[in-house]
Amino acid sequence: MPSVVTRFAPSPTGDLHIGGARTALFNWLFARRHGGKFILRIEDTDRERSTKEFVQAILDGMNWLGLAWDEGPYYQTERMDLYRKAAETLLAEGKAYRCVCTPEELERRREEMKARKEKPRYDGRCRSLPPEAAEGKPYVVRFRTPHSGQTVVRDLLRGDVTFENSELDDLVLLRTDGTPTYNFVVVVDDASMGITHVLRGDDHLNNTPKQLLIYEALGYPLPRIGHFPLIHGMEGGKMSKRDAETSVMKYKEMGYLPEAIVNYLARLGWGHGDQEIFSVGELQSLFSLEHVNLSPSRFDINKLLHLNAHYIKEADPERLAGLLIPFLKERGIDASPSAWLTRAVMTLRERARTLAEMADAAIYYFREKEADPKAAAKFLTPDIAAVLEEIAQAFSALPEFTPASMEAALSAVVEKRGGTLKIHQPIRVALTGGTASPGLFEVMDVLGREEVIRRLSSAVKRIRSN
RNA sequence: GUCCCCAUCGUCUAGUCCGGCCAAGGACACCGCCCUUUCACGGCGGCGACGGGGGUUCAAAUCCCCCUGGGGACGCCA
């Protein structure tokens, strides 16, 4: 029996969210750190909004990030008997009761309470209804929350947080259709799955006392519970699309590496001295709850971009080449893995922050790009045509086309013309269509002699036809 | 409105638990310089924070209180 069992319990009502991913990551890291078990549970009791597609999307996201679960995925819709049985027990013991108030009525009363500036909650009017009163009517099962006393959440991160029971209300356990609600299933599931550490977002802190009361009513042993802060957008408040993309898989599509996302997420709300770069292995052995921050952190795309650039530089070029192929395809370029592609990638990886940027920069390796008008006007001037022509000839006369021989040939041409000629940028523009690229000799090496000569000649032709 | 949580550079954070080593360290972004055939990478430097007020103490970013600010929760959503 592992001493630590954690879980990630997303509801399949959307893609794996960046905040959810961090919750999963922290749970996973905590389990790994303590040699425990990490369980994946799909909270799909909301049949209206849950879909198979979203389940798959969440699984894809977890897999992409490398967050391997040891057990599951469990689906709550397959465990209904368990919840119903637990509800019956509570009902039989008088710890829960049937309520016949309609949603419309409840909504109306809530509005009234808000208008009176009160905390909106159920007024408990069905509490003392005799069980027969619900016969033949649609009803929900509510938990009988004690009116007095306090419930203390012994939070792993924040210490004791005390709630007055009178502040809590009689939450719905079972809906009219008999399906259980979140606060109820989560207790039954966490208890029956032997979860030892419930680690989740701050937004659940207010739910915890209610859940604790249910644990108690059901006679379940209490897990250890900790709440970490939410991730906010750059403007504060919950992360929204206005701030940055929130779906994890969108980051894959934008050309981020999973190790960059993991590193970034781990450092968002957690720290280990001055260290910024963490491998997954390091994270697994260093992660600790004591160093998780208590205040919400803002999602800063610039830092993610920086980390991604770092991991692109570090990544195995062959792997990078493979990852780049779909991005090339999006740009209409069919490429397949090859030593040549890997070489091209090696010239590009120092200056790309994402695979998308790399693909954009790689285009001229595959086809001649139309020269940027400004660059052409500045560097492909009439007087340069003859020089480019001469260089092309010099290149074709070379016994071997290597960076060293190209450089020598180039110097010779420049020397012959007085030694002050600035020829690098014109060549760069002729070859790549722009003024920024990897080292000129690297570019020519990847392009190959034939193509270099072809593009030089084409540039000469264009200059002269103007 | 009620309840709950939080508070160090613009952002992520170290330091806070066990007050002195902090005239507050690192990273991102930004600016400048160097390297350089361009763009990057890299190197060096700069800008930049303990929200405010009271305590406690020889000493407070660190402990206590109040204020302010930010966030979250108040569903037959999770």
Side-chain angles (χ1 to χ4, degrees):
Chain A
M1 190 65 183
S3 57
V4 167
V5 182
T6 63
R7 46 69 162 181
F8 175 51
S11 69
T13 54
D15 290 348
L16 180 60
H17 186 275
I18 208 85
R22 194 188 56 163
T23 299
L25 176 65
F26 281 9
N27 275 282
W28 182 73
L29 288 175
F30 188 76
R32 287 289 172 273
R33 167 77 177 80
H34 297 282
K37 196 158 70 172
F38 174 61
I39 297 178
L40 178 62
R41 180 174 75 222
I42 305 295
E43 311 226 324
D44 54 354
T45 58
D46 181 356
R47 288 176 155 142
E48 303 271 304
R49 300 194 298 153
S50 302
T51 70
K52 276 214 298 279
E53 287 70 30
F54 286 139
V55 170
Q56 192 53 49
I58 287 166
L59 263 34
D60 289 346
M62 299 278 290
N63 283 134
W64 183 60
L65 291 176
L67 306 180
W69 52 94
D70 305 302
E71 231 180 71
Y74 291 109
Y75 295 86
Q76 294 185 325
T77 44
E78 292 171 4
R79 299 162 57 84
M80 290 300 184
D81 288 349
L82 215 56
Y83 315 129
R84 219 158 286 153
K85 214 168 286 168
E88 273 161 27
T89 305
L90 291 177
L91 227 31
E93 292 173 2
K95 291 170 179 167
Y97 61 92
R98 295 182 173 83
C99 165
V100 296
C101 299
T102 65
E104 296 74 32
E105 265 179 80
L106 293 169
E107 180 57 27
R108 212 196 62 232
R109 280 183 234 155
R110 255 197 299 276
E111 287 311 315
E112 284 172 8
M113 284 186 242
K114 273 188 188 166
R116 267 182 276 133
K117 308 239 180 259
E118 284 171 23
K119 183 173 186 163
R121 55 176 194 215
Y122 182 61
D123 59 11
R125 70 178 61 192
C126 293
R127 268 192 163 226
S128 49
L129 217 61
E132 317 83 65
E135 286 306 308
K137 284 190 196 169
Y139 65 87
V140 298
V141 175
R142 280 186 190 274
F143 185 67
R144 195 183 297 276
T145 303
H147 281 327
S148 60
Q150 301 176 322
T151 299
V152 179
V153 177
R154 320 210 64 169
D155 193 280
L156 252 19
L157 280 78
R158 291 160 211 275
D160 292 357
V161 182
T162 304
F163 293 84
E164 293 295 329
N165 288 158
S166 56
E167 288 293 335
L168 278 20
D169 67 357
D170 290 358
L171 71 163
V172 171
L173 264 22
L174 255 34
R175 303 181 181 100
T176 307
D177 66 0
T179 58
T181 60
Y182 167 74
N183 282 110
F184 184 46
V185 266
V186 82
V187 170
V188 175
D189 277 342
D190 284 342
S192 68
M193 291 177 184
I195 306 299
T196 60
H197 296 254
V198 172
L199 308 173
R200 65 204 347 177
D202 229 353
D203 48 343
H204 288 293
L205 184 52
N206 290 285
N207 285 145
T208 305
K210 300 178 200 173
Q211 293 175 13
L212 254 23
L213 257 11
I214 299 176
Y215 270 98
E216 201 179 300
L218 253 14
Y220 293 155
L222 260 37
R224 317 258 271 153
I225 300 179
H227 295 91
F228 38 76
L230 266 19
I231 297 176
H232 285 174
M234 277 310 274
E235 306 304 320
K238 278 188 176 177
M239 227 180 131
S240 71
K241 292 266 171 108
R242 273 225 311 276
D243 301 301
E245 189 52 61
T246 56
S247 158
V248 167
M249 288 309 265
K250 281 278 169 29
Y251 284 89
K252 182 187 183 194
E253 289 168 26
M254 291 188 286
Y256 287 84
L257 264 24
E259 57 268 44
I261 303 281
V262 165
N263 194 149
Y264 179 68
L265 253 23
R267 277 289 283 104
L268 236 203
W270 174 82
H272 186 261
D274 285 342
Q275 192 171 345
E276 298 284 348
I277 303 296
F278 295 88
S279 68
V280 171
E282 283 178 298
L283 252 18
Q284 288 180 346
S285 60
L286 292 174
F287 184 77
S288 69
L289 258 22
E290 296 84 77
H291 289 279
V292 173
N293 269 266
L294 264 31
S295 48
S297 36
R298 298 185 178 199
F299 187 87
D300 183 1
I301 193 72
N302 275 320
K303 192 141 188 178
L304 208 209
L305 224 29
H306 170 82
L307 278 170
N308 204 54
H310 168 85
Y311 282 104
I312 282 182
K313 283 194 266 294
E314 292 238 306
D316 170 52
E318 214 167 305
R319 168 184 170 227
L320 228 38
L323 293 174
L324 187 66
I325 289 171
F327 290 87
L328 291 171
K329 190 153 194 124
E330 278 173 19
R331 288 155 183 77
I333 296 165
D334 267 309
S336 44
S338 69
W340 175 80
L341 183 60
T342 302
R343 262 201 300 152
V345 163
M346 283 195 281
T347 69
L348 260 17
R349 62 178 171 163
E350 297 253 296
R351 56 213 99 210
R353 295 179 300 174
T354 65
L355 292 168
E357 284 184 5
M358 188 183 283
D360 283 336
I363 291 173
Y364 52 75
Y365 280 143
F366 297 89
R367 58 173 182 240
E368 188 171 352
K369 265 176 101 174
E370 199 180 325
D372 168 60
K374 261 202 200 145
K378 184 167 179 195
F379 294 108
L380 298 181
T381 49
D383 57 306
I384 217 78
V387 185
L388 293 180
E389 207 163 35
E390 195 177 332
I391 289 166
Q393 278 163 13
F395 282 168
S396 70
L398 249 26
E400 242 193 341
F401 196 61
T402 65
S405 71
M406 302 168 204
E407 187 162 12
L410 215 58
S411 301
V413 171
V414 172
E415 207 53 44
K416 213 174 95 187
R417 296 182 171 252
T420 55
L421 207 53
K422 296 267 186 266
I423 198 63
H424 288 97
Q425 283 303 73
I427 297 176
R428 175 168 282 113
V429 175
L431 261 26
T432 70
T435 54
S437 83
L440 200 48
F441 304 112
E442 288 177 82
V443 171
M444 294 199 281
D445 189 42
V446 171
L447 245 23
R449 168 159 31 193
E450 215 176 302
E451 184 62 16
V452 168
I453 290 172
R454 206 183 60 72
R455 290 193 191 179
L456 288 175
S457 309
S458 141
V460 168
K461 228 175 285 169
R462 264 180 291 120
I463 294 171
R464 291 198 171 137
S465 71
N466 278 341

